Amino acid sequence: MAARSFFSAPAVILIFAVLVAYLYGPGVRRTGVVLGLFRTPASTVQTLANDFGIVERTTHCEDLHYHEPSNLLFTACEDTESTRYSWFPALAIFDSPSGAANAQGSIKIIDPVTLQAQTLALQNFKGPFITHGIDVIDDPDRQRGEAVYIFAVNHIPNRDHYEKGDTEGPKSHSVVEVFHHIIGSNAARHIRSVWDPLMRTPNDVLGISPTSFFVTNDHYYEEGIMRTLEDLYFGTKWSTTIFVEFSGAATDCDGHGVEASLALDGLHNNNGLAHGRTPQEVLVASCSSGVLHLGINSKNKGSADTRRSIRIIESLELDSTIDNPSYFADPYANSTFDASGFVLGGLSKAANLLRNIRDPDAKDGVMVWKVTPLHQGQQRKHVGGDGDNWARWSTRLLFEDDGSRIRTASSAVLVAIDPSKDDDRRRARLFVTGFLSKNIVAVNVDL
């Protein structure tokens, strides 16, 4: 999810990071490619007008999830443009804590056919709500598709810092909000807020059960030059993923009944999370280094310990920054064609954001990738771990834009189009959103 303080760093820091990469390994070319230093943003041409659409009233929705049983998209949006440019800890923007204290973001559901967005009423919830990463899982106590739990990161200004004079404390008291939503209703009921000291710089969340989740800390440092170095030098592997369990309903203490433990460390700028091809597979994105990690969600077998960890199995490089990953399971797959794969949105020229994060009129181009297994015999070298390991993957650029139609891409999902209703073509509707996008866009793409 969008969390890159290099967006606001001076150009000299970028030059320094490239120099460090050059001196300490072959990473200089990789850094230049991922940050798009020499790339000219481009746009995919849509020949038919009805192949491109806009989802109105979806301002600054950083994350997006497709819930297949209900055929609905879920997202969390800032709604008011001014909030993002004055308070967003994920970009190290702390300009207006007073404005953030009154911010009222929203959770929305979107019909992928009509492109109509509905804002859910948040019952039993008292703001503020400064949105970021979200996740949606089925309610295990109901029939699949009847109800869901929604987990949403909320970046609340820290009252201890701003009102009680604790200047050494963090500026943001970021929590995860937990909601319950009955499909077909117009509301989501707030269950409780969840916080633990291990949740230092939360970015994205992955629901495991109604009372547990993984959450990424995308940085060790909240702001400053060391945080910038974390983004730009891929060797700073200081970010973590935390496993959190909680019990009980809402109380005045968001830490009540909460237990947290380290689930994953040793990665650079781990950011977005997603469920993968199996219930055990976890997707972890290293955002500013452009690496997708495939991991396994596991716990100690034969132990009463309920804590979980993530074990990375494989890592794949993309040629841009990437953010929140998603997995597309092709519902029309057959023995001759299966379009299933990982979908990732990112920035075509991330270095441009150095000067753009407080400019509502700037353009920041996007790239959306699809990663699928190659046919037998075609191989691509494994990126991480043992150099003798090989994986078979194909990377395809699904969509790009120079920032004219959509600004920034932090999440992208595919929703298949029924071939029987589309002249037997194998296509899907691609939804793209970004932390600075004025609206979600929908693009019909060939699979």
Side-chain angles (χ1 to χ4, degrees):
M1 307 249 215
R4 292 157 292 278
S5 62
F6 70 83
F7 294 166
S8 58
V12 66
I13 301 298
L14 178 60
I15 296 172
F16 172 74
V18 172
L19 178 61
V20 169
Y22 175 77
L23 293 175
Y24 289 92
V28 61
R29 180 184 180 278
R30 173 72 186 155
T31 301
V33 169
V34 173
L35 299 184
L37 293 179
F38 308 106
R39 180 185 292 130
T40 300
S43 295
T44 302
V45 177
Q46 304 299 133
T47 56
L48 299 176
N50 59 0
D51 279 346
F52 182 87
I54 293 175
V55 184
E56 301 290 350
R57 298 182 296 109
T58 53
T59 299
H60 296 173
C61 309
E62 197 271 350
D63 200 1
L64 184 65
H65 287 271
Y66 175 60
H67 183 243
E68 183 272 333
S70 64
N71 192 34
L72 291 172
L73 294 159
F74 286 76
T75 187
C77 305
E78 208 59 60
D79 290 338
T80 303
E81 282 195 61
S82 59
T83 302
R84 186 70 92 220
Y85 298 109
S86 61
W87 179 272
F88 194 44
L91 295 179
I93 299 176
F94 301 98
D95 298 352
S96 180
S98 59
N102 296 306
Q104 294 292 332
S106 66
I107 294 175
K108 300 181 189 293
I109 55 174
I110 300 167
D111 185 319
V113 177
T114 66
L115 304 187
Q116 295 299 305
Q118 176 188 0
T119 300
L120 297 179
L122 302 182
Q123 298 175 340
N124 302 326
F125 179 73
K126 299 178 181 179
F129 192 20
I130 298 92
T131 60
H132 200 169
I134 68 164
D135 194 23
V136 179
I137 63 171
D138 280 297
D139 181 344
D141 294 327
R142 290 176 174 260
Q143 291 292 322
R144 187 168 179 260
E146 284 189 358
V148 296
Y149 284 91
I150 304 170
F151 301 82
V153 173
N154 184 9
H155 294 296
I156 304 169
N158 185 6
R159 294 183 60 188
D160 288 346
H161 181 97
Y162 291 104
E163 298 178 16
K164 299 181 180 180
D166 181 13
T167 57
E168 297 299 317
K171 293 182 177 180
S172 178
H173 181 77
S174 300
V175 302
V176 170
E177 310 290 0
V178 184
F179 299 89
H180 186 264
H181 169 64
I182 298 174
I183 301 298
S185 73
N186 62 0
R189 177 173 55 88
H190 187 239
I191 304 298
R192 64 165 293 171
S193 303
V194 179
W195 174 84
D196 186 87
L198 290 181
M199 295 165 52
R200 296 169 54 91
T201 54
N203 182 304
D204 200 10
V205 60
L206 187 77
I208 301 301
S209 76
T211 57
S212 65
F213 56 83
F214 289 112
V215 61
T216 54
N217 288 314
D218 52 50
H219 293 80
Y220 181 83
Y221 292 94
E222 188 179 44
E223 59 183 332
I225 190 170
M226 292 302 293
R227 179 182 171 107
T228 300
L229 183 62
E230 283 188 80
D231 288 314
L232 295 175
Y233 177 43
F234 299 171
T236 53
K237 300 180 179 182
W238 305 334
S239 56
T240 58
T241 299
I242 306 300
F243 178 65
V244 180
E245 298 176 280
F246 60 93
S247 60
T251 68
D252 291 335
C253 178
D254 49 28
H256 177 73
V258 178
E259 294 186 7
S261 57
L262 180 66
L264 176 66
D265 62 358
L267 296 184
H268 174 253
N269 191 212
N270 58 326
N271 185 300
L273 293 169
H275 301 275
R277 295 164 290 183
T278 68
Q280 290 74 39
E281 187 173 61
V282 176
L283 312 182
V284 184
S286 286
C287 176
S288 58
S289 48
V291 180
L292 172 65
H293 307 280
L294 311 182
I296 298 296
N297 164 21
S298 61
K299 64 178 182 179
N300 293 329
K301 294 183 179 180
S303 171
D305 190 349
T306 59
R307 291 178 296 179
R308 292 181 174 270
S309 62
I310 299 173
R311 179 168 56 93
I312 300 301
I313 303 299
E314 191 168 4
S315 301
L316 308 171
E317 290 182 347
L318 283 299
D319 288 343
S320 72
T321 61
I322 59 173
D323 214 313
N324 303 308
S326 66
Y327 177 66
F328 170 65
D330 184 359
Y332 303 105
N334 54 45
S335 59
T336 60
F337 186 78
D338 185 350
S340 301
F342 307 116
V343 183
L344 305 110
L347 306 176
S348 56
K349 203 171 182 67
N352 276 359
L353 282 175
L354 294 168
R355 60 178 183 270
N356 289 352
I357 60 167
R358 288 177 173 82
D359 182 0
D361 299 318
K363 293 182 179 181
D364 297 294
V366 310
M367 304 179 83
V368 178
W369 306 92
K370 184 166 178 279
V371 180
T372 55
L374 283 169
H375 295 298
Q376 187 68 27
Q378 294 178 288
Q379 295 182 329
R380 172 182 174 180
K381 193 171 183 180
H382 182 77
V383 175
D386 187 347
D388 293 331
N389 289 332
W390 293 79
R392 294 183 291 273
W393 299 100
S394 172
T395 302
R396 173 189 165 199
L397 184 61
L398 267 184
F399 173 77
E400 59 182 334
D401 190 76
D402 64 3
S404 299
R405 293 175 292 183
I406 181 168
R407 179 185 178 187
T408 70
S410 50
S411 187
V413 300
L414 285 170
V415 179
I417 298 174
D418 187 343
S420 67
K421 300 178 181 179
D422 194 35
D423 298 326
D424 290 327
R425 291 177 292 184
R426 293 303 314 276
R427 300 200 302 168
R429 180 164 273 183
L430 172 68
F431 291 85
V432 186
T433 189
F435 50 93
L436 293 177
S437 59
K438 292 185 177 181
N439 287 292
I440 296 172
V441 300
V443 188
N444 291 344
V445 296
D446 293 323
L447 294 174

